[in-house]
Amino acid sequence: MSALSAPAEIIERVDAALAEVLSSSAADFARISPSAAELIEPIRAFTAKGKRIRALIAWWGFELAGGSASAEPGIARVAASVELLHAAALIHDDIIDDSDTRRGRPAIHAAYRTGHAEQGWSGDSELYGIGAGIIAGDLCLTLSEQVYTASGLARLTTPSAIRHHDDFRREVMVGQFLDIRLQAAPVAAEEVSERAREVLTYKSAKYSVEHPLLLGAALGGADDALLGRLAEFGLPLGRAFQLRDDELGVFGDPEVTGKPAGDDLRQGKKTVLVGSALTRLDAETADWFSSRLGAPDLTDAEIGRMEELLRSTGALAAFEQEIDSEIARADVALGRLDIADADRDRLAEYIRRLTRRSA
Amino acid sequence: MSALSAPAEIIERVDAALAEVLSSSAADFARISPSAAELIEPIRAFTAKGKRIRALIAWWGFELAGGSASAEPGIARVAASVELLHAAALIHDDIIDDSDTRRGRPAIHAAYRTGHAEQGWSGDSELYGIGAGIIAGDLCLTLSEQVYTASGLARLTTPSAIRHHDDFRREVMVGQFLDIRLQAAPVAAEEVSERAREVLTYKSAKYSVEHPLLLGAALGGADDALLGRLAEFGLPLGRAFQLRDDELGVFGDPEVTGKPAGDDLRQGKKTVLVGSALTRLDAETADWFSSRLGAPDLTDAEIGRMEELLRSTGALAAFEQEIDSEIARADVALGRLDIADADRDRLAEYIRRLTRRSA
């Protein structure tokens, strides 16, 4: 018998739980001041969109462990909590990366900055945008904890759920810090790949797949053996998902990714792919690659040469092989799960969706 | 029989609980990467200092409601959680206010910025400081929730504790947003005082006194009647505390406050005191006051004139009267609490300490 709910059904219930917590906060805040709407409404608009990847995965983790969404409807709030954590991460990330666009619209801090400037308010618009964006992200983080606790799930306070809840949150922050540090601090060419792999694991792979899966499973009553088997599935899937994202960051079709060609090279990101190329180049070419990566005056011709080097050194081929073997690892782990065929098919399809070549 | 623990004893146990959660996180993070120490160590140094005002008040709220710190030692973790929330607020505030100094040392983001510049790292030092500071504050917020849950107090999941926990966090964020908005957006002279009072209530009075007191009390088992009596004590005390702080922000002795004379006028803060003066001035002088408040080229002579206007309009006298009546209100509410004389004396002394004229 199939245990996993259909994505459309999950997304509908997560959206409803999100709308509920945000509406009730908006009502509470309106009693403080009408101006508080300027804090909560952008969050409402922001969280109305999203692929709900982590919410889906948390929900399925819960069901894979035997949890029932009809017996414990609070799982919708847990999934909403995961999406609010993600909203906080994105809102703060966009400030940290000085990125003005998100999901095809102005990033939250950019919208605050523009509003400040257009209305001719006093003080520095840039600083106002950063300040209001920081507070909006903080509020998402707090609302995420609030709706999590309000889910009332029976296993919320089990040691396993507490550990997975805490690790989910702390580790993405550590990963985020390691990321900005890696981009800023000098690092030997032969170490880039390893450092980038740490960032990929903690900022992305665990955060996007393994952690939500295990948190949901812990809340569904998974024992340590099942948690172990799910980690063997979730971590490689998360790695493959982010590795593909890194590939698309360099070679993705601008029409599909919504970013300019070679965007990660322009931004100077030290990724696993770049690190792999650096170890394959002669010292002089590696120096050139490192010194031009992210240079403000980087030309299209130079980007073309970098892309060519990623191919000609075999770095790209090795990288694609790595993605394939992470996918294969996830497939094997999926095969080991004791679940209905329909559920296995659903998860296999989701693996393909998360790791396909078109973003 | 006295119920309230002595401040020194509380602070010792809060410090130990803080040290414990930070050491265990540092150990966990070290397994991810040695570089993660750069994220956790500044937090450790930052939280090692502090007046522990909110921790003390939460602890006493717990004891006033009948909670026993020997029966439920987890209250130390709740108090540590309150201090970590405060650390998050201060770390993010310093970015939001573009303030480089905190507790006589470089603010967290300023230290990251300086480290980046001094080591000649790549990218923009300013942006690195802001980014790392945002992440450090986020981590404090998350560790605050973590240690709160880990306290294991019996009443953690009661509706009353949940409500007070959520309001404590959300409302300070709303207050913080209303503050930066008030400083930025145009506001009619006759409305400044009312708007500033909203900020004072939510960003400071409730956050610094009422919320930690009621959260502690809810965890100690207070019923609604006792929570109501404690709110009648905590809110005026919190108001008096912050009103005095506003007074010292203009008239405080630089030797004592550690800030230049008239600092709040230099920074252009629209406070209750300034709002009160604006409604008492003729239109022309009010316009001058508003337009020069926070002006980058504000002279010492102009600050002197503003201070003189605050006095000559009677705004300062009315303001001091307001502080005195908030203190009186707190005293009356204290008198209504059914507690031992020794405890009443301890709390009365604390009222004086929080609201005395020397910062």
Side-chain angles (χ1 to χ4, degrees):
Chain A
M1 208 190 76
S2 153
L4 301 186
S5 300
E9 186 192 330
I10 295 174
I11 289 171
E12 189 184 331
R13 291 181 56 188
V14 173
D15 287 352
L18 272 171
E20 186 202 11
V21 62
L22 292 168
S23 294
S24 96
S25 283
D28 292 343
F29 295 173
R31 280 189 286 273
I32 296 176
S33 163
S35 301
E38 291 171 24
L39 179 60
I40 191 85
E41 292 309 326
I43 293 172
R44 217 202 293 235
F46 188 80
T47 53
K49 295 188 176 190
K51 285 172 281 186
R52 311 279 185 244
I53 292 172
R54 294 154 196 86
L56 265 179
I57 292 173
W59 192 295
W60 282 340
F62 178 73
E63 293 180 328
L64 285 168
S68 154
S70 52
E72 293 203 276
I75 186 63
R77 288 182 170 174
V78 169
S81 156
V82 167
E83 290 297 309
L84 282 162
L85 170 65
H86 193 48
L90 297 181
I91 291 169
H92 281 178
D93 265 23
D94 285 340
I95 301 173
I96 293 165
D97 296 342
D98 195 18
S99 169
D100 281 357
T101 311
R102 170 68 65 178
R103 295 174 179 166
R105 298 182 45 186
I108 294 264
H109 72 283
Y112 281 120
R113 184 186 62 216
T114 306
H116 183 283
E118 285 181 355
Q119 293 168 94
W121 285 2
S122 62
D124 182 49
S125 297
E126 178 80 26
L127 192 62
Y128 184 81
I130 290 173
I134 289 174
I135 299 167
D138 288 349
L139 183 59
C140 288
L141 214 44
T142 281
L143 294 178
S144 168
E145 299 275 9
Q146 175 180 327
V147 70
Y148 182 82
T149 303
S151 71
L153 290 194
R155 293 186 189 83
L156 272 189
T157 53
T158 58
S160 174
I162 289 175
R163 191 178 72 244
H164 288 293
H165 168 271
D166 291 344
D167 285 350
F168 191 178
R169 287 156 188 272
R170 311 189 300 178
E171 290 188 2
V172 67
M173 292 168 187
V174 173
Q176 170 71 306
F177 177 76
L178 293 177
D179 192 15
I180 67 167
R181 191 192 185 284
L182 173 64
Q183 308 312 326
V187 48
E190 64 275 16
E191 274 189 32
V192 169
S193 195
E194 191 188 333
R195 293 283 90 77
R197 217 172 286 274
E198 283 170 4
V199 170
L200 181 135
T201 298
Y202 288 94
K203 186 183 172 186
S204 301
K206 283 174 176 277
Y207 169 68
S208 298
V209 183
E210 187 191 351
H211 280 317
L213 186 71
L214 297 194
L215 174 62
L219 292 168
D223 60 16
D224 285 348
L226 178 55
L227 289 168
R229 286 197 302 279
L230 291 172
E232 281 168 17
F233 167 70
L235 185 56
L237 174 55
R239 284 215 174 100
F241 169 57
Q242 185 56 41
L243 288 167
R244 182 71 77 201
D245 199 62
D246 282 359
E247 185 186 358
L248 293 169
V250 176
F251 294 101
D253 178 353
E255 292 282 312
V256 179
T257 65
K259 298 173 186 174
D263 193 47
D264 280 4
L265 301 173
R266 272 178 224 282
Q267 291 190 32
K269 279 200 199 153
K270 294 172 192 157
T271 60
V272 173
L273 176 59
V274 164
S276 163
L278 290 178
T279 57
R280 291 157 191 264
L281 293 168
D282 62 79
E284 192 185 336
T285 316
D287 279 350
W288 172 83
F289 200 118
S290 297
S291 67
R292 297 303 298 158
L293 187 68
D297 58 344
L298 188 68
T299 65
D300 285 348
E302 286 176 310
I303 288 179
R305 185 180 171 206
M306 285 177 177
E307 290 179 345
E308 177 49 33
L309 288 170
L310 291 172
R311 288 182 207 276
S312 62
T313 53
L316 180 60
F319 190 77
E320 293 199 317
Q321 209 163 40
E322 184 174 347
I323 297 177
D324 289 342
S325 62
E326 294 289 1
I327 293 174
R329 217 167 277 152
D331 279 332
V332 168
L334 177 58
R336 288 200 192 114
L337 293 177
D338 179 24
I339 57 178
D341 286 346
D343 290 339
R344 200 180 313 277
D345 291 347
R346 196 185 281 290
L347 290 172
E349 186 198 324
Y350 204 67
I351 294 178
R352 303 298 157 238
R353 188 180 144 198
L354 280 185
T355 59
R356 66 188 170 202
R357 279 196 172 71
S358 54
Chain B
M1 207 191 76
S2 151
L4 301 184
S5 299
E9 187 192 329
I10 295 174
I11 289 171
E12 188 184 331
R13 292 180 56 188
V14 173
D15 287 353
L18 271 171
E20 185 202 12
V21 62
L22 292 168
S23 294
S24 98
S25 283
D28 291 343
F29 296 172
R31 280 189 286 273
I32 296 176
S33 163
S35 301
E38 291 171 24
L39 179 59
I40 191 84
E41 292 309 327
I43 293 172
R44 217 201 293 236
F46 188 79
T47 53
K49 295 187 177 188
K51 286 173 281 187
R52 310 281 186 244
I53 291 172
R54 294 154 196 84
L56 264 179
I57 291 174
W59 193 294
W60 281 340
F62 177 74
E63 293 180 330
L64 285 169
S68 154
S70 52
E72 293 203 277
I75 186 62
R77 288 181 169 174
V78 169
S81 158
V82 167
E83 290 297 308
L84 281 163
L85 170 66
H86 193 48
L90 297 180
I91 291 169
H92 281 178
D93 265 21
D94 285 340
I95 301 173
I96 293 166
D97 296 341
D98 196 18
S99 169
D100 281 357
T101 311
R102 171 68 65 177
R103 294 174 180 167
R105 298 184 45 187
I108 293 263
H109 73 284
Y112 281 120
R113 183 186 62 216
T114 306
H116 183 282
E118 285 181 355
Q119 292 168 95
W121 285 2
S122 61
D124 182 49
S125 297
E126 178 80 25
L127 192 61
Y128 185 81
I130 290 173
I134 289 174
I135 299 167
D138 288 349
L139 183 59
C140 287
L141 213 44
T142 281
L143 294 178
S144 167
E145 299 275 9
Q146 176 180 326
V147 70
Y148 182 81
T149 304
S151 71
L153 289 195
R155 292 186 188 83
L156 272 190
T157 54
T158 58
S160 173
I162 288 175
R163 192 179 70 243
H164 288 292
H165 168 270
D166 291 344
D167 285 350
F168 191 178
R169 287 156 188 273
R170 311 189 300 178
E171 290 188 0
V172 68
M173 291 169 188
V174 173
Q176 170 71 308
F177 177 76
L178 294 177
D179 191 16
I180 66 167
R181 191 191 186 285
L182 173 64
Q183 307 313 324
V187 49
E190 63 275 17
E191 274 188 30
V192 169
S193 195
E194 191 188 333
R195 293 283 91 77
R197 217 172 286 274
E198 283 169 4
V199 171
L200 180 135
T201 298
Y202 288 94
K203 186 182 171 187
S204 301
K206 283 174 175 278
Y207 169 68
S208 298
V209 182
E210 187 191 351
H211 280 318
L213 186 70
L214 297 194
L215 175 61
L219 292 168
D223 61 16
D224 285 347
L226 178 56
L227 289 169
R229 285 198 302 279
L230 291 173
E232 281 167 17
F233 168 70
L235 185 57
L237 174 56
R239 285 218 174 98
F241 170 56
Q242 186 56 42
L243 288 166
R244 182 71 77 201
D245 199 62
D246 283 359
E247 185 186 357
L248 294 170
V250 176
F251 294 101
D253 178 353
E255 293 281 314
V256 179
T257 64
K259 298 173 184 173
D263 193 45
D264 280 3
L265 301 174
R266 272 179 223 282
Q267 291 189 34
K269 278 199 199 153
K270 295 173 192 157
T271 59
V272 173
L273 176 58
V274 164
S276 163
L278 290 178
T279 57
R280 291 157 190 265
L281 293 168
D282 63 79
E284 192 185 337
T285 316
D287 278 352
W288 173 83
F289 200 118
S290 296
S291 67
R292 297 303 298 158
L293 187 69
D297 57 346
L298 188 68
T299 64
D300 285 349
E302 286 176 309
I303 288 179
R305 185 177 171 209
M306 286 177 176
E307 290 179 347
E308 176 49 33
L309 288 170
L310 290 172
R311 288 182 207 276
S312 62
T313 53
L316 179 60
F319 190 77
E320 293 198 317
Q321 208 163 42
E322 183 174 348
I323 298 177
D324 288 343
S325 63
E326 294 290 1
I327 293 175
R329 217 167 277 155
D331 278 333
V332 168
L334 177 58
R336 288 199 192 116
L337 294 177
D338 180 23
I339 56 177
D341 286 346
D343 290 340
R344 199 179 313 277
D345 291 347
R346 197 185 279 290
L347 290 172
E349 186 199 324
Y350 204 65
I351 293 178
R352 305 295 157 238
R353 188 180 144 198
L354 280 185
T355 59
R356 67 188 168 201
R357 279 197 172 71
S358 54

